Amino acid sequence: MATFHLTASSVTVSARNLASFEGLRPSTVKFSSFGTLKPGALTQRSFKSLVVKAATVVAPKYTSIKPLGDRVLVKIKETEQKTEGGILLPTTAQSKPQGGEVIAVGEGKTIGKTKLEISTGAQVIYSKYAGTEVEFNGSNHLILKEDDIVGILETDDVKDLKPLNDRVLIKVAEAEEKTAGGLLLTEASKEKPSIGSVIAVGPGTLDEEGNRKPLSVAPGNTVLYSKYAGNDFKGSDGTNYIALRASDVMAVLS
């Protein structure tokens, strides 16, 4: 399910606000931090741990979902509930999954002479805020467009991601540990790097005739990319990666 973290400074909750969650059944909106709410019982401090969970619930009478067009149905990978050291994570600390298995596909999209399609059974990584979440057969699924799929994961490690179309997988450079004057930086004060090494690239975009246009970057390039672009991932060894579109790569460094 999608999880929205709300704070008192940014959101005022009222009956009118809740009505704006269009298409949701009342039972699918949950306030995890409160029991029975009484008028005047909410304070600014109360909103610090307020979480709204929302997903479209498909009734049991429906036994299948058939995506249309270039959409695919992905069964979302379960959230990690423990750290590698075995420590249980609270719900608020659990990372939202960005991967899963393709369960069903639509007719696909055809550009020129080339048909774009994803195979069922493929393990995929998708953009963080893509698609519509659906609760079906007791599991969480996502319906999204094929273009929202970043790549195909052939192992359990993101470093082996096979990017699709114009996506690029980059190994993020280590953040600077010290200032120019030699002062040690804390984790909170380290600036997020915008430089990294290209690990893998997609086959490129399609022109109007369906021919692939190769990307302007290649594996091994050291590149500078837009600071707030793409989707961040962490490898099994703790290495940071980012997957983004080639258009978000601003320069090749040498």
Side-chain angles (χ1 to χ4, degrees):
M1 292 185 177
T3 301
F4 306 91
H5 295 275
L6 310 180
T7 63
S9 61
S10 61
V11 177
T12 301
V13 175
S14 67
R16 183 172 59 184
N17 295 136
L18 293 179
S20 66
F21 288 92
E22 195 172 318
L24 301 181
R25 286 167 43 175
S27 62
T28 64
V29 179
K30 303 176 183 178
F31 295 89
S32 61
S33 304
F34 306 102
T36 303
L37 299 180
K38 298 179 181 180
L42 296 180
T43 64
Q44 182 171 353
R45 181 177 298 180
S46 303
F47 286 96
K48 291 183 178 179
S49 57
L50 177 60
V51 176
V52 177
K53 296 181 178 180
T56 301
V57 179
V58 178
K61 65 179 180 179
Y62 300 107
T63 58
S64 68
I65 297 178
K66 172 62 178 175
L68 299 179
D70 61 341
R71 291 178 174 82
V72 300
L73 177 67
V74 175
K75 184 176 181 180
I76 299 174
K77 180 181 178 182
E78 291 187 4
T79 305
E80 293 292 338
Q81 297 185 357
K82 292 183 179 181
T83 65
E84 291 183 0
I87 300 174
L88 282 172
L89 293 170
T91 302
T92 53
Q94 294 171 13
S95 299
K96 179 184 176 183
Q98 286 179 246
E101 179 184 356
V102 176
I103 302 298
V105 299
E107 300 84 10
K109 178 193 288 186
T110 299
I111 300 179
K113 59 186 179 182
T114 303
K115 183 175 182 180
L116 300 176
E117 54 186 350
I118 302 292
S119 301
T120 56
Q123 298 291 328
V124 298
I125 297 291
Y126 47 80
S127 298
K128 191 170 185 177
Y129 301 108
T132 298
E133 292 198 29
V134 175
E135 187 175 315
F136 176 64
N137 280 347
S139 299
N140 294 328
H141 295 73
L142 193 68
I143 298 178
L144 67 164
K145 288 180 174 291
E146 289 179 0
D147 190 52
D148 289 323
I149 295 178
V150 174
I152 296 174
L153 198 57
E154 299 181 336
T155 70
D156 291 334
D157 199 337
V158 71
K159 70 179 178 61
D160 299 317
L161 180 73
K162 180 182 177 182
L164 297 178
N165 301 320
D166 62 339
R167 297 311 208 290
V168 178
L169 178 66
I170 295 171
K171 180 181 177 181
V172 179
E174 295 289 334
E176 292 293 334
E177 299 283 343
K178 296 181 180 181
T179 66
L183 296 176
L184 284 173
L185 294 169
T186 63
E187 287 298 323
S189 60
K190 290 179 183 178
E191 186 173 354
K192 179 183 176 183
S194 298
I195 295 175
S197 301
V198 176
I199 302 299
V201 301
T205 56
L206 292 170
D207 61 22
E208 294 180 356
E209 297 180 353
N211 298 312
R212 291 284 182 184
K213 299 169 61 179
L215 302 182
S216 55
V217 295
N221 288 158
T222 298
V223 296
L224 176 68
Y225 54 86
S226 298
K227 191 169 186 177
Y228 300 106
N231 295 270
D232 298 310
F233 302 98
K234 191 174 289 290
S236 59
D237 61 354
T239 301
N240 292 315
Y241 296 88
I242 187 169
L244 38 71
R245 294 186 183 276
S247 58
D248 290 319
V249 176
M250 299 185 293
V252 175
L253 306 180
S254 60

